[in-house]
Amino acid sequence: MFRPFALIVVVAAASALVAAAPDEASTIVYARQTPQTPQTEISVILSNPGSHPKIGIQEFAVSSPALRQAADTVASVLADDLKFEREFYVIDQKASAGIPKAATGATIPFTQWTQLGAEFVLMANVRDTGGKLEVEVKLIDVRPATAGKEGFSRTYGGCTAATPRFCAHSIADDMHKQLRNLTGVARTRIAFSSDRDGEPMEGRPVPAEEKGRGKAIYLMDYDGAQARPYTVNRAINIGAAWGPDGRSLAWASFVSGYPDIYLSLLDGRPATRPAHGTDVFQNQNPAISPDGTKIAFTSNRAGSGYFDIWVVDRDGSNLQNLTPGTPKSSEGAATWSPNGAQIAFTSDRVGPPQIYMMNADGTGLTRVPCGPKCDRPAWSALGYIAYTLERPGGKDIAITDLSKMEPRIITDGSGANEQPTVSSNGRHIAFVTSRWGNRQIASIDYDGQNIRQLTNTGVNTYPNWSPASGGR
Amino acid sequence: MTFTEDTMNRLQTLATILALTAAISGCVKKQPAATTTAPPPSTSAFPGAVTPRSTPAPTRTEVPPAPPVIPMDQPVTASGDPLEAASLEKINQDSPLKPVFFAYDSDALDDTARATMAANAQVMRKYVTWVVTVEGHCDERGTAEYNLALGDRRALAVKNYMVSLGIAADRVKTVSYGSEFPIVPGHDEEAWKQNRRAHFMLTAKQ
């Protein structure tokens, strides 16, 4: 449920997001009040509810009745996108259904909208331009003093009546950027592993009693829509990781009978194997550096019987063990800091698995306080590390703010919750949960609000959230 | 590779020496049955505090010092054996190589596990062309990533023991599937105990 009063204010770490006010639509920019504290600190505060623009959405006009369904989809997906970031209060379209539709901004029945609490009304014309969908959007001020003023206006192409969601996501990202100084994630995607297609594995002679099901890498929109398989082999494929701009994808596949890292540039060419795996030297859990030049991964290559964090250039050169100093413990599940200078990872060097971070060259080790057992860190652009926290009560998602070094539990203990991945703007965490039965992918905000179920079929694991715009 | 007569003879001699050594030392002084005895399986889920690893994991070079004595059969090449000609898939469907099971969060081999592997070693001595991949599997508890490491240790423990029984190291490959591939889908100990396994998969005849 959308909570209009809870505004996440991210200090300093998000300063890039709250830079100069955009010149367009400056009359209705409601830049968040950013306390001028110098330290990197995450805090969740209650804001003035007035700081959230309250938006009504008028039924989108269509140039032909055939476009009605596509137009309604754009409107509802856009409303969902706006609610997701909790920067706008979106008035339920059912509540405003009885208000007469206006053809122009000037003829909107302002008072009827303001009685519902609206400050702005979003209206749109949806047209068919030679098979493409064109969506012309206007945001009209309905407040008494400024009624009729146009606040945001743009025309969107790039989608069709069969694929209207992308237009909605583009509108949402623009509105967040221009009106809220926020880099939205509506056009991002999430990669994950799923056995939903139930393909029996091949290359592994399966005994009769085993229901050997492969796991394919799937890609879906950030909101769970349009999930489709990416890998087509019948093997276990897990641990997908996006490269910068969503233009590459690495994962571990057992297609050769042992796990090795596969790297695809998502251009139709065959994936490469930069980590040089063999049936003896096995590699998994890749993480592509933010500049796209390196891949960190988990490998047994040192031959000690334990795993280490290794790093290799994208082309397969400069293979290097980053954790050679602890031959009797396993290190794995590497994640890069957003600036690429550091790597967080899991190690069981003190017994139970714990989270550590180090410089990208392996120096400067620091333990990140987390709890009894922790695994699979994910580094947020907002200065926290999310991870799976395992306690006697079960598994939950927790985060540790790197300025305070204090762990905080995000999920509420319903089901087993694990394998967090953080959205590019740092606000949202996708993870695996068993709370609905089979393991499914969900998203939640880092303050523990705004839980959404993103998958609903098969067993789904290893989510990885793409960088901004997802390479579309 | 193929086992030559010479290799077999040498192994047989080695086994005889080991058997005699074990018998003699057994007369002189009572010894523990095996030096790789596992600590009791931990049933309390997790220690609340950071504690040292309780189960020493095997390395790829570690060999248990006192393997039990196994009677050495000559390799059988009887043409009437249906397994000689059977496909890998067919053999794996009802494999003479049995899985080894583990305690929770442990890679230790108990007496049952060692007996299973002794029998599996017999089979592998009989079918000298067989190459197996030992798959380490875990139950669904613990994190997926931790389980990939745990499954790897389980597979290595099994491999090292098989090697100690005289099976050539290059006939026993290992892989960990972690908790990705449960054999029983349930969410209780009945399912978990069957999923904590090392599975012998026949992957080649060479």
Side-chain angles (χ1 to χ4, degrees):
Chain A
M1 190 60 203
F2 177 56
R3 290 165 188 258
F5 304 123
L7 171 62
I8 303 164
V9 171
V10 176
V11 184
S15 57
L17 300 182
V18 292
D23 39 20
E24 273 190 75
S26 57
T27 53
I28 57 161
V29 164
Y30 303 91
R32 286 161 293 158
Q33 295 301 304
T34 306
Q36 299 300 308
T37 42
Q39 79 270 27
T40 302
E41 180 182 339
I42 304 166
S43 55
V44 179
I45 66 165
L46 296 180
S47 74
N48 179 353
S51 70
H52 292 259
K54 298 184 181 65
I55 291 183
I57 300 178
Q58 177 180 285
E59 185 186 67
F60 287 4
V62 290
S63 63
S64 92
L67 298 177
R68 171 48 55 203
Q69 192 182 352
D72 287 351
T73 300
V74 174
S76 65
V77 171
L78 173 59
D80 218 38
D81 288 347
L82 295 179
K83 290 174 187 172
F84 184 67
E85 295 289 358
R86 297 157 64 185
E87 291 290 333
F88 295 94
Y89 182 94
V90 183
I91 292 164
D92 188 343
Q93 279 191 271
K94 290 194 195 85
S96 60
I99 300 178
K101 310 293 177 287
T104 66
T107 57
I108 285 175
F110 302 120
T111 51
Q112 290 188 49
W113 281 102
T114 53
Q115 281 164 8
L116 281 179
E119 298 168 318
F120 306 92
V121 170
L122 190 77
M123 52 193 300
N125 291 305
V126 179
R127 295 180 286 266
D128 187 338
T129 57
K132 293 271 188 184
L133 212 58
E134 190 176 84
V135 184
E136 180 191 7
V137 183
K138 282 183 165 57
L139 190 64
I140 307 298
D141 199 331
V142 296
R143 294 172 297 179
T146 46
K149 196 165 179 181
E150 206 170 273
F152 174 94
S153 176
R154 184 167 290 183
T155 300
Y156 293 83
C159 58
T160 68
T163 61
R165 305 182 69 93
F166 188 67
C167 276
H169 295 328
S170 301
I171 298 166
D173 279 351
D174 280 355
M175 287 179 67
H176 281 123
K177 193 71 188 171
Q178 293 199 17
L179 307 179
R180 304 300 295 168
N181 280 320
L182 172 77
T183 302
V185 295
R187 283 174 293 176
T188 59
R189 287 182 289 175
I190 295 173
F192 62 103
S193 292
S194 180
D195 70 350
R196 61 182 63 184
D197 287 337
E199 290 287 332
M201 301 208 297
E202 70 179 6
R204 178 184 180 278
V206 178
E209 74 276 14
E210 288 191 17
K211 306 282 185 294
R213 294 179 117 190
K215 293 183 179 180
I217 304 293
Y218 282 70
L219 310 180
M220 65 181 173
D221 292 354
Y222 91 97
D223 57 4
Q226 307 194 89
R228 57 206 177 275
Y230 175 68
T231 57
V232 292
N233 61 60
R234 283 159 51 177
I236 285 182
N237 299 272
I238 52 177
W242 292 93
D245 300 326
R247 292 184 201 283
S248 55
L249 194 71
W251 70 96
S253 178
F254 287 70
V255 68
S256 297
Y258 53 88
D260 193 21
I261 309 299
Y262 290 72
L263 174 68
S264 168
L265 300 181
L266 300 173
D267 58 1
R269 285 185 291 171
T272 57
R273 294 171 63 174
H276 311 292
T278 69
D279 58 2
V280 176
F281 295 141
Q282 302 176 3
N283 311 303
Q284 48 206 324
N285 273 322
I288 303 177
S289 63
D291 67 2
T293 60
K294 290 179 180 301
I295 302 170
F297 59 97
T298 307
S299 180
N300 68 356
R301 180 170 283 273
S304 64
Y306 297 88
F307 293 155
D308 287 297
I309 307 289
W310 287 67
V311 67
V312 68
D313 287 1
R314 194 171 64 181
D315 63 2
S317 61
N318 293 321
L319 190 62
Q320 185 194 351
N321 185 354
L322 292 182
T323 57
T326 49
K328 290 287 181 183
S329 66
S330 278
E331 283 74 39
T335 180
W336 295 82
S337 65
N339 66 5
Q342 291 170 285
I343 292 173
F345 61 99
T346 308
S347 172
D348 63 358
R349 63 188 63 188
V350 296
Q354 296 284 299
I355 307 295
Y356 297 81
M357 51 188 184
M358 62 184 174
N359 296 327
D361 62 1
T363 63
L365 185 81
T366 307
R367 193 165 82 85
V368 179
C370 60
K373 286 185 170 182
C374 316
D375 209 340
R376 197 167 188 86
W379 204 315
S380 165
L382 298 185
Y384 66 83
I385 288 178
Y387 46 86
T388 309
L389 169 64
E390 194 179 357
R391 298 169 295 166
K395 286 180 273 192
D396 271 303
I397 305 301
I399 66 174
T400 295
D401 179 338
L402 294 178
S403 67
K404 296 178 185 164
M405 286 297 198
E406 287 171 7
R408 182 151 56 91
I409 297 167
I410 300 304
T411 54
D412 60 3
S414 58
N417 306 285
E418 57 184 319
Q419 298 191 318
T421 177
V422 182
S423 69
S424 55
N425 66 10
R427 293 181 158 205
H428 316 284
I429 300 168
F431 62 102
V432 175
T433 183
S434 65
R435 66 184 67 191
W436 300 301
N438 268 356
R439 278 172 288 172
Q440 303 295 345
I441 312 293
S443 69
I444 196 169
D445 291 355
Y446 76 83
D447 65 354
Q449 304 289 335
N450 202 17
I451 181 115
R452 295 183 176 204
Q453 182 174 354
L454 304 182
T455 63
N456 54 29
T457 177
V459 170
N460 305 281
T461 53
Y462 290 92
N464 190 268
W465 208 314
S466 81
S469 85
R472 293 173 189 269
Chain B
M1 66 162 283
T2 53
F3 254 34
T4 62
E5 192 79 2
D6 188 44
T7 311
M8 281 311 302
N9 287 341
R10 276 191 281 122
L11 281 173
Q12 211 158 6
T13 308
L14 177 65
T16 308
I17 293 168
L18 285 170
L20 285 171
T21 310
I24 292 164
S25 60
C27 291
V28 175
K29 182 183 168 191
K30 181 84 178 158
Q31 284 209 331
T35 55
T36 53
T37 304
S42 166
T43 46
S44 67
F46 326 112
V50 170
T51 54
R53 179 197 304 283
S54 58
T55 307
T59 69
R60 287 174 194 280
T61 54
E62 182 178 318
V63 175
V69 179
I70 304 297
M72 304 293 274
D73 291 348
Q74 291 294 328
V76 174
T77 52
S79 55
D81 187 342
L83 286 184
E84 287 286 348
S87 68
L88 301 182
E89 286 75 7
K90 186 76 179 168
I91 295 168
N92 280 314
Q93 278 173 13
D94 186 20
S95 180
L97 301 167
K98 300 304 178 193
V100 171
F101 297 96
F102 294 86
Y104 171 64
D105 198 15
S106 168
D107 55 29
L109 303 169
D110 62 14
D111 289 345
T112 307
R114 283 192 289 270
T116 301
M117 283 183 284
N120 287 349
Q122 281 271 49
V123 173
M124 290 196 67
R125 274 190 287 273
K126 182 174 178 185
Y127 300 102
V128 295
T129 63
W130 287 14
V131 175
V132 300
T133 297
V134 176
E135 301 176 347
H137 296 272
C138 307
D139 69 33
E140 64 183 350
R141 295 172 294 174
T143 61
E145 297 77 13
Y146 181 82
N147 284 334
L148 283 168
L150 177 60
D152 197 63
R153 294 204 302 273
R154 285 175 175 167
L156 281 175
V158 168
K159 173 181 177 148
N160 288 338
Y161 194 75
M162 293 295 285
V163 170
S164 79
L165 297 180
I167 306 301
D170 61 2
R171 295 179 65 200
V172 185
K173 301 176 186 303
T174 60
V175 68
S176 172
Y177 279 92
S179 49
E180 300 302 321
F181 197 175
I183 193 169
V184 175
H187 305 290
D188 53 20
E189 177 56 24
E190 193 54 41
W192 292 334
K193 72 181 184 188
Q194 297 179 72
N195 289 330
R196 294 189 300 263
R197 69 201 192 277
H199 190 98
F200 283 72
M201 188 67 68
L202 179 60
T203 44
K205 292 180 182 179
Q206 54 182 238

